[in-house]
Amino acid sequence: MKKLLSILLAILMVFTLAACGNGGNGGEEPAEEGKVLNLWTWNDEFWGFLCDYYADEVIDEFTATKGDVTIKRTTYISDNMAYQDALDAALLAQADAPADEKVDMFLAEADYIIKYTNSDATMDVTSIGVTDFSNTYKYTVEAASDANGVVKGVSFQCCPSALIYRRSIAKEVLGTDDPAEVQAALDSWEKFDEVAAIAKEKGYYMVPTPLETYRTFSNNTTSGWVVDGKLNIDPAIQNWMDQAEKYMAEGYAPFAAGIWDAEKNDQMFADGKTMCFFGPAWYFNFCMGNAQDPERGCYGDWAICQGPQAHFWGGTWMLAATGTDNPTMVADIMNTFINDEEVCSKLVSEKAQFSNNQAVNNKFAADESYGNDFLGGQNDTAVFAELAKYIKFQNVTPYDQGCNEGIQNAYREFLNGTVTKEEALANFKDSIKTTYPGITVE
Amino acid sequence: MEKMKKLSKTKSISYAKWGYIFIIPFFVVYLIFTLYPQLLTIYNSFFEYYRDGLNVIGPNFVGLRNYKELFTINNAGYVPIVKYSLNTLILWIIGAVPQFLIAMLLALFFTSTRLNIKGQQFFKTVIYMPNLIMASAFSMLFFALFSQVGPINQLLQSWGAVNEPINFLGMTISVRGLIGLMNFLMWFGNTTILLMAGIQGIDESMFESARLDGSNSTQVFFNITMPLLMPIFIYVFITSMIGGIQMFDVPQVLTNGKGTPNLTSTTLIMYLNNFLGVSKNFGMAGAVSVLLFIITAVLSAFVFKTITRK
């Protein structure tokens, strides 16, 4: 009976879908370009900007319109590579998909952008009218280019990562909350360790989890995760592992929590005991919700400085999907978010973003009156403009997300004391073997 | 003569034919949705067939290489699939043993004419309730409850029972215990109701005559209830075992797909699922599936043989 019922349901569903498909095509006149622009994302960050600065009307959380074109958002979470998984399936079926269901534009992150730029699934954006990269940061263009230098997309942000600290805690630990003085006290890992010891004496934690500094190290490697088809653990990763082990043993961090875990985010509340976090502009304006909580948060009690080592973290690129039926609008969106001065200015002043337009960023950096209230009025754009000079997009592989997540997950278990270091590494290697069968693991 | 012939033809009409016709839909569905994928899985298990980035590698015939790889000793000195099989077995036992004991006890209580419990409908509904919750939602709830900053730890700390929060989800014993507890809570109601149906199917006069002959409850249970309940019990036991082998949702959600700590809560299906991530490794996943099929078949046959043996 159950089986019969499920067959019936399945048949019904097929019919409903077919009906939808027919309904969608019932436009009045055959237009040159599609009436639906499909945008794929793994969160709603960019969607928010698109709704505020590009769309004419926002219908709901997943739909907006611009002129007579409907923009539809499809979102899968990034965790465990669910987004890549779903996106790959859609891109591989792109050729056979009806025009209105084709992926037109999708977002990709630094960890795996190369997988898409080096494939035929993305197209040369200079051919559809995105040609002016004079104001963008060079690394954002390099990151979106394939091996032959063909540009496949653009980023709406530049992501130098800063040390984000609690002013009140810094005052107690260092006697000052002035960014320049804090920076002077924390400009190398040796000094960082020393301050960590002082913080501990005063009852504070230096970092919310030893995993917090991971990106600082992983972004300063001298080799990629995969070299000649073999898994390779760079000395910089090794250094991070040593530091993490030490910080856990010394009690410089409360838990060996994952960077997105509730345990860690709890430290951002006013009653949190942690002094330092690391992240780019998107981190404190998109991921530090607890700190901005009206009741339990500590809005304004934060500031940023360069920290012990320059690095960047993440960043979202918009890529044009091959086979799009909305090339003009795709190009228009891209141009808007890198070259439209008004929009880029609003990204900085209203959304506290560090935009991908150097002229706009420099204007705010030089503006004495500009400040970010979350950071107690500090001019964050000035700090990021300086940090942006050190960004290097290098040693990237298509496997970085799996490797970066894998090593953190496996090593965390060692930090929590559940496995030995050897077991943690063996577990990591097993996970890579399972996730990426193409990589040789020794 | 002609008439006779006709008559005999009508008389020998085969009703069995209709039986076959009526079961055709099932077999058609079975062939398309079960047998064909099963054969395809076995076929794929002999191929190198996965995705590297957006490029599809294979399918290339590699013989038994996938199986060989499954049984390769890893850097930590063990064979992963053996570890995951044992995990699965342990996780099932932790949940199934209390599940059968409690379910049997409840079934006996509810069916006992001597106890004659009031409000049976209410209790039956309540114990069945956890089964209605989606396993993943249930698991998510436990994940939040037992996190280091979750309510359980807050309670323990405010009572002064512990000073530091307990890392429930970081310790093998508590993670396995929680998975067992969840499976137990979700399934004991279902088992109770099945066993009750079985007990109620036993002729009441059997119990009456046993009691008249002066046997006590224990004797009634072991000499009358249990032997007559056997067919239902075997059914419940084998279904539970197959469910156990296929355990996935509860540990997957509770450990966020990681099978932590130290992979001690990674079940066979979670392992299988890992092969079907971005790499869509149909070869290796096929090999794991075939192995699972063999394990299930052998265990079911074994259990059936042992329990039904006179």
Side-chain angles (χ1 to χ4, degrees):
Chain A
M1 187 60 209
K2 234 180 181 174
K3 259 194 177 126
L4 199 76
L5 201 72
S6 49
I7 299 162
L8 257 169
L9 273 173
I11 294 169
L12 260 171
M13 259 154 68
V14 170
F15 277 115
T16 335
L17 282 177
C20 285
N22 289 336
N25 288 338
E28 318 90 64
E29 281 186 22
E32 259 182 59
E33 291 198 359
K35 293 279 170 252
V36 178
L37 185 138
N38 288 304
L39 169 71
W40 281 59
T41 77
W42 67 88
N43 61 28
D44 57 2
E45 185 194 26
F46 178 67
W47 179 253
F49 304 150
L50 195 76
C51 288
D52 288 350
Y53 304 133
Y54 187 79
D56 291 333
E57 197 188 341
V58 180
I59 313 281
D60 60 36
E61 258 184 276
F62 295 93
T63 342
T65 58
K66 170 78 175 175
D68 57 352
V69 176
T70 308
I71 305 176
K72 278 189 188 162
R73 165 164 79 109
T74 306
T75 298
Y76 287 85
I77 58 158
S78 169
D79 220 25
N80 290 334
M81 294 192 279
Y83 175 64
Q84 283 190 59
D85 195 4
L87 181 62
D88 288 357
L91 291 175
L92 289 170
Q94 178 89 331
D96 304 320
D100 280 350
E101 282 163 33
K102 282 188 204 291
V103 182
D104 295 296
M105 184 162 107
F106 62 92
L107 305 187
E109 209 186 11
D111 269 358
Y112 51 82
I113 186 173
I114 183 175
K115 168 175 156 189
Y116 297 106
T117 51
N118 276 338
S119 81
D120 295 330
T122 49
M123 61 188 285
D124 182 359
V125 291
T126 54
S127 72
I128 56 173
V130 185
T131 47
D132 182 6
F133 304 113
S134 58
N135 269 322
T136 59
Y137 290 88
K138 202 171 140 239
Y139 93 95
T140 65
V141 182
E142 284 168 6
S145 305
D146 71 3
N148 303 318
V150 177
V151 188
K152 302 284 192 76
V154 299
S155 175
F156 59 90
Q157 59 191 180
C158 173
C159 297
S161 188
L163 191 166
I164 306 164
Y165 63 90
R166 277 281 290 278
R167 284 177 185 267
S168 53
I169 297 178
K171 256 187 199 155
E172 280 193 48
V173 174
L174 295 168
T176 174
D177 69 343
D178 179 67
E181 286 175 47
V182 172
Q183 172 59 23
L186 294 172
D187 62 4
S188 71
W189 284 119
E190 289 76 38
K191 286 189 185 173
F192 199 80
D193 290 354
E194 284 165 24
V195 175
I198 304 172
K200 194 197 168 191
E201 267 172 41
K202 307 217 167 172
Y204 292 105
Y205 298 111
M206 195 62 176
V207 284
T209 156
L211 276 68
E212 187 72 7
T213 59
Y214 176 80
R215 291 283 171 173
T216 323
F217 288 92
S218 74
N219 200 222
N220 283 295
T221 53
T222 48
S223 55
W225 270 114
V226 178
V227 176
D228 299 328
K230 280 186 194 158
L231 182 71
N232 165 54
I233 297 178
D234 190 85
I237 304 290
Q238 192 59 53
N239 289 341
W240 169 74
M241 294 200 270
D242 296 341
Q243 190 207 48
E245 186 180 355
K246 181 179 167 191
Y247 276 29
M248 220 39 213
E250 298 282 346
Y252 295 163
F255 312 106
I259 45 168
W260 305 115
D261 286 358
E263 279 95 341
K264 178 202 149 174
N265 288 340
D266 252 33
Q267 290 291 318
M268 296 172 188
F269 284 128
D271 57 6
K273 294 254 169 272
T274 299
M275 177 166 146
C276 302
F277 292 78
F278 285 87
W282 59 256
Y283 186 75
F284 61 74
N285 58 37
F286 189 69
C287 304
M288 286 179 72
N290 281 355
Q292 307 187 16
D293 189 279
E295 275 165 29
R296 297 182 59 197
C298 41
Y299 193 88
D301 189 27
W302 299 86
I304 58 169
C305 64
Q306 182 174 338
Q309 212 169 1
H311 66 291
F312 81 95
W313 179 17
T316 304
W317 277 263
M318 305 171 248
L319 298 173
T322 308
T324 171
D325 58 334
N326 303 76
T328 315
M329 187 174 261
V330 167
D332 192 35
I333 294 175
M334 289 183 178
N335 278 322
T336 306
F337 282 95
I338 58 169
N339 287 326
D340 185 320
E341 231 177 272
E342 199 195 321
V343 169
C344 291
S345 298
K346 279 184 179 165
L347 278 178
V348 179
S349 62
E350 290 174 6
K351 307 283 180 189
Q353 280 281 315
F354 186 63
S355 80
N356 195 11
N357 186 311
Q358 299 194 39
V360 168
N361 288 343
N362 292 338
K363 186 182 77 191
F364 281 98
D367 184 353
E368 303 253 313
S369 65
Y370 172 73
N372 186 333
D373 290 337
F374 176 68
L375 303 174
Q378 186 188 9
N379 186 336
D380 52 339
T381 309
V383 180
F384 286 127
E386 178 61 24
L387 280 172
K389 294 175 187 163
Y390 305 108
I391 295 185
K392 292 164 284 183
F393 191 79
Q394 59 186 12
N395 303 324
V396 287
T397 73
Y399 315 107
D400 288 357
Q401 188 182 4
C403 293
N404 285 330
E405 282 182 6
I407 190 81
Q408 292 184 54
N409 288 331
Y411 201 67
R412 231 182 98 186
E413 292 213 74
F414 162 65
L415 297 174
N416 276 323
T418 31
V419 300
T420 63
K421 205 189 281 187
E422 290 70 36
E423 281 173 328
L425 279 173
N427 288 346
F428 166 62
K429 288 178 178 172
D430 275 359
S431 79
I432 294 303
K433 223 189 254 179
T434 323
T435 317
Y436 300 119
I439 301 179
T440 314
V441 181
E442 278 165 356
Chain B
M1 192 64 197
E2 192 68 39
K3 213 178 174 184
M4 280 284 280
K5 212 176 173 185
K6 228 175 190 174
L7 206 73
S8 71
K9 224 178 181 179
T10 333
K11 258 190 178 169
S12 72
I13 193 161
S14 161
Y15 288 104
K17 182 180 82 179
W18 292 103
Y20 288 124
I21 289 174
F22 283 133
I23 55 174
I24 281 177
F26 167 76
F27 278 98
V28 170
V29 171
Y30 174 78
L31 285 177
I32 299 173
F33 292 107
T34 307
L35 191 65
Y36 172 68
Q38 210 160 15
L39 293 176
L40 198 66
T41 307
I42 297 172
Y43 177 78
N44 272 331
S45 73
F46 298 110
F47 285 81
E48 174 187 59
Y49 191 14
Y50 64 89
R51 247 194 257 153
D52 188 14
L54 288 171
N55 307 317
V56 178
I57 312 285
N60 307 316
F61 183 74
V62 289
L64 291 172
R65 200 180 78 187
N66 290 334
Y67 292 94
K68 236 161 105 189
E69 212 170 308
L70 272 188
F71 288 102
T72 311
I73 296 173
N74 73 355
N75 285 324
Y78 61 83
V79 179
I81 194 154
V82 172
K83 178 172 180 168
Y84 304 145
S85 306
L86 289 175
N87 287 343
T88 314
L89 184 72
I90 292 167
L91 287 174
W92 174 64
I93 289 175
I94 294 174
V97 170
Q99 178 192 323
F100 280 108
L101 289 179
I102 302 277
M104 187 57 94
L105 211 59
L106 286 175
L108 289 174
F109 287 167
F110 284 142
T111 49
S112 163
T113 42
R114 285 162 77 189
L115 285 175
N116 202 10
I117 294 172
K118 295 272 177 315
Q120 275 205 30
Q121 278 309 328
F122 171 75
F123 289 118
K124 275 189 250 173
T125 314
V126 169
I127 59 172
Y128 196 80
M129 217 68 115
N131 202 270
L132 301 177
I133 309 173
M134 229 192 307
S136 50
F138 203 42
S139 202
M140 203 68 226
L141 178 76
F142 270 63
F143 179 81
L145 280 176
F146 287 90
S147 105
Q148 287 190 75
V149 293
I152 300 284
N153 263 315
Q154 281 170 7
L155 269 181
L156 289 176
Q157 277 174 298
S158 68
W159 288 341
V162 291
N163 296 323
E164 292 278 301
I166 301 173
N167 191 0
F168 287 108
L169 300 173
M171 293 183 297
T172 308
I173 186 159
S174 50
V175 172
R176 282 182 172 172
L178 285 174
I179 295 170
L181 177 67
M182 273 186 272
N183 278 321
F184 159 69
L185 281 176
M186 277 194 331
W187 291 104
F188 84 102
N190 186 60
T191 313
T192 306
I193 285 167
L194 285 172
L195 292 178
M196 270 173 68
I199 295 173
Q200 277 164 348
I202 300 170
D203 193 346
E204 187 61 28
S205 59
M206 293 279 198
F207 296 114
E208 269 168 33
S209 48
R211 256 181 251 127
L212 283 176
D213 286 347
S215 51
N216 60 25
S217 309
T218 325
Q219 284 169 323
V220 171
F221 176 73
F222 284 107
N223 296 318
I224 297 179
T225 318
M226 217 38 211
L228 291 171
L229 187 61
M230 236 354 140
I232 299 284
F233 188 79
I234 293 169
Y235 165 75
V236 176
F237 190 83
I238 292 184
T239 351
S240 162
M241 196 180 66
I242 293 174
I245 292 171
Q246 299 182 346
M247 194 187 299
F248 173 68
D249 36 18
V250 169
Q252 173 83 6
V253 174
L254 188 73
T255 64
N256 196 13
K258 313 276 185 329
T260 46
N262 195 19
L263 305 173
T264 50
S265 59
T266 306
T267 65
L268 282 168
I269 301 283
M270 285 167 76
Y271 185 51
L272 170 72
N273 187 54
N274 288 342
F275 284 114
L276 294 172
V278 275
S279 63
K280 297 276 170 281
N281 196 340
F282 295 124
M284 288 298 285
V288 178
S289 306
V290 171
L291 221 64
L292 261 168
F293 176 68
I294 295 171
I295 293 174
T296 314
V298 169
L299 278 181
S300 301
F302 176 75
V303 169
F304 192 75
K305 276 265 148 59
T306 355
I307 302 187
T308 51
R309 193 168 31 190
K310 288 283 165 199

mmCIF file of all heavy atoms in Angstrom, chain B residues 141-168:
data_model
loop_
_atom_site.group_PDB
_atom_site.id
_atom_site.type_symbol
_atom_site.label_atom_id
_atom_site.label_comp_id
_atom_site.label_asym_id
_atom_site.label_seq_id
_atom_site.Cartn_x
_atom_site.Cartn_y
_atom_site.Cartn_z
ATOM 1 N N LEU B 141 18.094 18.319 18.124
ATOM 2 C CA LEU B 141 17.689 18.731 19.468
ATOM 3 C C LEU B 141 18.726 18.277 20.492
ATOM 4 O O LEU B 141 19.177 19.064 21.328
ATOM 5 C CB LEU B 141 16.326 18.116 19.787
ATOM 6 C CG LEU B 141 15.757 18.387 21.166
ATOM 7 C CD1 LEU B 141 15.214 19.800 21.222
ATOM 8 C CD2 LEU B 141 14.667 17.388 21.504
ATOM 9 N N PHE B 142 19.156 17.020 20.388
ATOM 10 C CA PHE B 142 20.156 16.502 21.325
ATOM 11 C C PHE B 142 21.489 17.214 21.141
ATOM 12 O O PHE B 142 22.208 17.466 22.095
ATOM 13 C CB PHE B 142 20.331 14.988 21.130
ATOM 14 C CG PHE B 142 19.404 14.183 21.985
ATOM 15 C CD1 PHE B 142 18.031 14.280 21.829
ATOM 16 C CD2 PHE B 142 19.900 13.338 22.968
ATOM 17 C CE1 PHE B 142 17.177 13.550 22.621
ATOM 18 C CE2 PHE B 142 19.050 12.603 23.774
ATOM 19 C CZ PHE B 142 17.680 12.705 23.598
ATOM 20 N N PHE B 143 21.803 17.534 19.897
ATOM 21 C CA PHE B 143 23.042 18.257 19.602
ATOM 22 C C PHE B 143 23.057 19.588 20.355
ATOM 23 O O PHE B 143 24.037 19.950 20.990
ATOM 24 C CB PHE B 143 23.137 18.490 18.093
ATOM 25 C CG PHE B 143 24.357 19.257 17.658
ATOM 26 C CD1 PHE B 143 25.567 18.625 17.504
ATOM 27 C CD2 PHE B 143 24.285 20.625 17.404
ATOM 28 C CE1 PHE B 143 26.695 19.312 17.107
ATOM 29 C CE2 PHE B 143 25.409 21.331 17.003
ATOM 30 C CZ PHE B 143 26.614 20.667 16.853
ATOM 31 N N ALA B 144 21.936 20.305 20.304
ATOM 32 C CA ALA B 144 21.851 21.600 20.979
ATOM 33 C C ALA B 144 21.833 21.411 22.498
ATOM 34 O O ALA B 144 22.498 22.143 23.233
ATOM 35 C CB ALA B 144 20.606 22.349 20.515
ATOM 36 N N LEU B 145 21.090 20.408 22.966
ATOM 37 C CA LEU B 145 20.969 20.183 24.413
ATOM 38 C C LEU B 145 22.311 19.870 25.058
ATOM 39 O O LEU B 145 22.620 20.343 26.141
ATOM 40 C CB LEU B 145 20.017 19.009 24.684
ATOM 41 C CG LEU B 145 18.525 19.269 24.632
ATOM 42 C CD1 LEU B 145 17.764 17.964 24.837
ATOM 43 C CD2 LEU B 145 18.140 20.251 25.728
ATOM 44 N N PHE B 146 23.113 19.049 24.375
ATOM 45 C CA PHE B 146 24.331 18.539 24.999
ATOM 46 C C PHE B 146 25.599 19.256 24.556
ATOM 47 O O PHE B 146 26.690 18.773 24.795
ATOM 48 C CB PHE B 146 24.457 17.034 24.744
ATOM 49 C CG PHE B 146 23.491 16.231 25.557
ATOM 50 C CD1 PHE B 146 22.227 15.930 25.089
ATOM 51 C CD2 PHE B 146 23.847 15.793 26.835
ATOM 52 C CE1 PHE B 146 21.331 15.207 25.848
ATOM 53 C CE2 PHE B 146 22.968 15.072 27.605
ATOM 54 C CZ PHE B 146 21.709 14.771 27.115
ATOM 55 N N SER B 147 25.477 20.399 23.888
ATOM 56 C CA SER B 147 26.689 21.118 23.497
ATOM 57 C C SER B 147 27.345 21.694 24.759
ATOM 58 O O SER B 147 26.741 21.725 25.822
ATOM 59 C CB SER B 147 26.349 22.227 22.500
ATOM 60 O OG SER B 147 26.392 23.489 23.111
ATOM 61 N N GLN B 148 28.586 22.134 24.608
ATOM 62 C CA GLN B 148 29.309 22.626 25.791
ATOM 63 C C GLN B 148 28.668 23.882 26.378
ATOM 64 O O GLN B 148 28.891 24.199 27.538
ATOM 65 C CB GLN B 148 30.773 22.904 25.437
ATOM 66 C CG GLN B 148 31.555 21.635 25.249
ATOM 67 C CD GLN B 148 33.037 21.899 25.137
ATOM 68 O OE1 GLN B 148 33.699 22.178 26.112
ATOM 69 N NE2 GLN B 148 33.568 21.799 23.940
ATOM 70 N N VAL B 149 27.912 24.603 25.565
ATOM 71 C CA VAL B 149 27.237 25.786 26.091
ATOM 72 C C VAL B 149 25.728 25.551 26.131
ATOM 73 O O VAL B 149 24.953 26.476 26.252
ATOM 74 C CB VAL B 149 27.558 27.044 25.246
ATOM 75 C CG1 VAL B 149 29.003 27.413 25.398
ATOM 76 C CG2 VAL B 149 27.219 26.822 23.782
ATOM 77 N N GLY B 150 25.325 24.293 26.006
ATOM 78 C CA GLY B 150 23.901 23.961 25.951
ATOM 79 C C GLY B 150 23.258 23.895 27.320
ATOM 80 O O GLY B 150 23.937 23.988 28.351
ATOM 81 N N PRO B 151 21.935 23.730 27.351
ATOM 82 C CA PRO B 151 21.180 23.748 28.606
ATOM 83 C C PRO B 151 21.597 22.671 29.607
ATOM 84 O O PRO B 151 21.592 22.925 30.807
ATOM 85 C CB PRO B 151 19.733 23.526 28.169
ATOM 86 C CG PRO B 151 19.730 23.438 26.709
ATOM 87 C CD PRO B 151 21.092 23.600 26.184
ATOM 88 N N ILE B 152 21.948 21.478 29.139
ATOM 89 C CA ILE B 152 22.326 20.417 30.078
ATOM 90 C C ILE B 152 23.562 20.834 30.870
ATOM 91 O O ILE B 152 23.608 20.728 32.092
ATOM 92 C CB ILE B 152 22.599 19.096 29.323
ATOM 93 C CG1 ILE B 152 21.359 18.639 28.561
ATOM 94 C CG2 ILE B 152 23.095 18.017 30.270
ATOM 95 C CD1 ILE B 152 20.274 18.034 29.397
ATOM 96 N N ASN B 153 24.559 21.349 30.158
ATOM 97 C CA ASN B 153 25.766 21.793 30.840
ATOM 98 C C ASN B 153 25.487 22.971 31.761
ATOM 99 O O ASN B 153 26.039 23.065 32.849
ATOM 100 C CB ASN B 153 26.849 22.160 29.818
ATOM 101 C CG ASN B 153 27.816 21.011 29.601
ATOM 102 O OD1 ASN B 153 28.258 20.390 30.573
ATOM 103 N ND2 ASN B 153 28.127 20.721 28.361
ATOM 104 N N GLN B 154 24.607 23.866 31.314
ATOM 105 C CA GLN B 154 24.274 25.022 32.158
ATOM 106 C C GLN B 154 23.606 24.566 33.445
ATOM 107 O O GLN B 154 23.911 25.064 34.529
ATOM 108 C CB GLN B 154 23.360 25.979 31.391
ATOM 109 C CG GLN B 154 24.133 26.841 30.399
ATOM 110 C CD GLN B 154 23.225 27.613 29.463
ATOM 111 O OE1 GLN B 154 22.008 27.618 29.627
ATOM 112 N NE2 GLN B 154 23.818 28.253 28.479
ATOM 113 N N LEU B 155 22.697 23.581 33.310
ATOM 114 C CA LEU B 155 22.014 23.037 34.489
ATOM 115 C C LEU B 155 23.014 22.409 35.449
ATOM 116 O O LEU B 155 23.021 22.710 36.643
ATOM 117 C CB LEU B 155 21.001 21.971 34.059
ATOM 118 C CG LEU B 155 19.580 22.434 33.769
ATOM 119 C CD1 LEU B 155 18.734 21.249 33.381
ATOM 120 C CD2 LEU B 155 18.997 23.108 35.008
ATOM 121 N N LEU B 156 23.861 21.543 34.893
ATOM 122 C CA LEU B 156 24.840 20.850 35.732
ATOM 123 C C LEU B 156 25.726 21.845 36.456
ATOM 124 O O LEU B 156 26.048 21.680 37.626
ATOM 125 C CB LEU B 156 25.700 19.911 34.873
ATOM 126 C CG LEU B 156 25.003 18.661 34.337
ATOM 127 C CD1 LEU B 156 25.933 17.885 33.428
ATOM 128 C CD2 LEU B 156 24.540 17.776 35.496
ATOM 129 N N GLN B 157 26.103 22.918 35.741
ATOM 130 C CA GLN B 157 26.984 23.908 36.345
ATOM 131 C C GLN B 157 26.255 24.712 37.427
ATOM 132 O O GLN B 157 26.811 24.979 38.485
ATOM 133 C CB GLN B 157 27.557 24.836 35.276
ATOM 134 C CG GLN B 157 28.759 24.241 34.580
ATOM 135 C CD GLN B 157 29.227 25.091 33.423
ATOM 136 O OE1 GLN B 157 28.504 25.309 32.461
ATOM 137 N NE2 GLN B 157 30.444 25.590 33.516
ATOM 138 N N SER B 158 24.988 25.054 37.154
ATOM 139 C CA SER B 158 24.279 25.865 38.146
ATOM 140 C C SER B 158 23.940 25.043 39.381
ATOM 141 O O SER B 158 23.816 25.565 40.477
ATOM 142 C CB SER B 158 23.014 26.479 37.535
ATOM 143 O OG SER B 158 22.084 25.467 37.264
ATOM 144 N N TRP B 159 23.817 23.725 39.233
ATOM 145 C CA TRP B 159 23.600 22.876 40.403
ATOM 146 C C TRP B 159 24.909 22.606 41.153
ATOM 147 O O TRP B 159 24.900 22.016 42.215
ATOM 148 C CB TRP B 159 23.019 21.523 39.974
ATOM 149 C CG TRP B 159 21.600 21.600 39.526
ATOM 150 C CD1 TRP B 159 20.714 22.607 39.797
ATOM 151 C CD2 TRP B 159 20.902 20.650 38.734
ATOM 152 N NE1 TRP B 159 19.507 22.324 39.217
ATOM 153 C CE2 TRP B 159 19.592 21.126 38.562
ATOM 154 C CE3 TRP B 159 21.255 19.426 38.162
ATOM 155 C CZ2 TRP B 159 18.632 20.432 37.827
ATOM 156 C CZ3 TRP B 159 20.302 18.739 37.444
ATOM 157 C CH2 TRP B 159 19.000 19.246 37.277
ATOM 158 N N GLY B 160 26.009 22.985 40.488
ATOM 159 C CA GLY B 160 27.291 22.737 41.125
ATOM 160 C C GLY B 160 27.773 21.312 40.945
ATOM 161 O O GLY B 160 28.705 20.868 41.615
ATOM 162 N N ALA B 161 27.137 20.558 40.066
ATOM 163 C CA ALA B 161 27.547 19.171 39.842
ATOM 164 C C ALA B 161 28.907 19.099 39.150
ATOM 165 O O ALA B 161 29.691 18.185 39.390
ATOM 166 C CB ALA B 161 26.497 18.436 39.012
ATOM 167 N N VAL B 162 29.167 20.067 38.286
ATOM 168 C CA VAL B 162 30.474 20.122 37.616
ATOM 169 C C VAL B 162 30.954 21.575 37.600
ATOM 170 O O VAL B 162 30.144 22.496 37.656
ATOM 171 C CB VAL B 162 30.403 19.604 36.157
ATOM 172 C CG1 VAL B 162 30.157 18.118 36.117
ATOM 173 C CG2 VAL B 162 29.336 20.354 35.369
ATOM 174 N N ASN B 163 32.271 21.756 37.530
ATOM 175 C CA ASN B 163 32.818 23.105 37.444
ATOM 176 C C ASN B 163 33.009 23.526 35.992
ATOM 177 O O ASN B 163 32.650 24.623 35.593
ATOM 178 C CB ASN B 163 34.160 23.189 38.169
ATOM 179 C CG ASN B 163 33.985 22.932 39.655
ATOM 180 O OD1 ASN B 163 32.987 23.343 40.244
ATOM 181 N ND2 ASN B 163 34.932 22.221 40.235
ATOM 182 N N GLU B 164 33.619 22.609 35.223
ATOM 183 C CA GLU B 164 33.853 22.864 33.806
ATOM 184 C C GLU B 164 32.735 22.205 33.016
ATOM 185 O O GLU B 164 32.250 21.143 33.409
ATOM 186 C CB GLU B 164 35.186 22.224 33.391
ATOM 187 C CG GLU B 164 36.400 22.877 33.999
ATOM 188 C CD GLU B 164 36.815 24.110 33.231
ATOM 189 O OE1 GLU B 164 37.105 23.966 32.034
ATOM 190 O OE2 GLU B 164 36.811 25.215 33.811
ATOM 191 N N PRO B 165 32.309 22.792 31.886
ATOM 192 C CA PRO B 165 31.301 22.100 31.073
ATOM 193 C C PRO B 165 31.823 20.758 30.569
ATOM 194 O O PRO B 165 33.003 20.632 30.241
ATOM 195 C CB PRO B 165 31.060 23.063 29.913
ATOM 196 C CG PRO B 165 32.191 24.010 29.921
ATOM 197 C CD PRO B 165 32.701 24.084 31.326
ATOM 198 N N ILE B 166 30.951 19.768 30.547
ATOM 199 C CA ILE B 166 31.347 18.451 30.053
ATOM 200 C C ILE B 166 31.217 18.436 28.537
ATOM 201 O O ILE B 166 30.207 18.854 27.991
ATOM 202 C CB ILE B 166 30.451 17.351 30.653
ATOM 203 C CG1 ILE B 166 30.554 17.371 32.172
ATOM 204 C CG2 ILE B 166 30.850 15.986 30.106
ATOM 205 C CD1 ILE B 166 29.576 16.436 32.858
ATOM 206 N N ASN B 167 32.251 17.953 27.874
ATOM 207 C CA ASN B 167 32.222 17.877 26.418
ATOM 208 C C ASN B 167 31.552 16.575 25.979
ATOM 209 O O ASN B 167 32.203 15.640 25.537
ATOM 210 C CB ASN B 167 33.649 17.976 25.876
ATOM 211 C CG ASN B 167 33.687 18.177 24.381
ATOM 212 O OD1 ASN B 167 32.647 18.242 23.739
ATOM 213 N ND2 ASN B 167 34.874 18.271 23.827
ATOM 214 N N PHE B 168 30.230 16.537 26.114
ATOM 215 C CA PHE B 168 29.486 15.308 25.809
ATOM 216 C C PHE B 168 29.748 14.813 24.393
ATOM 217 O O PHE B 168 29.862 13.632 24.142
ATOM 218 C CB PHE B 168 27.982 15.540 25.964
ATOM 219 C CG PHE B 168 27.533 15.661 27.384
ATOM 220 C CD1 PHE B 168 27.140 16.881 27.899
ATOM 221 C CD2 PHE B 168 27.504 14.548 28.206
ATOM 222 C CE1 PHE B 168 26.724 17.004 29.205
ATOM 223 C CE2 PHE B 168 27.081 14.659 29.523
ATOM 224 C CZ PHE B 168 26.695 15.890 30.025
#
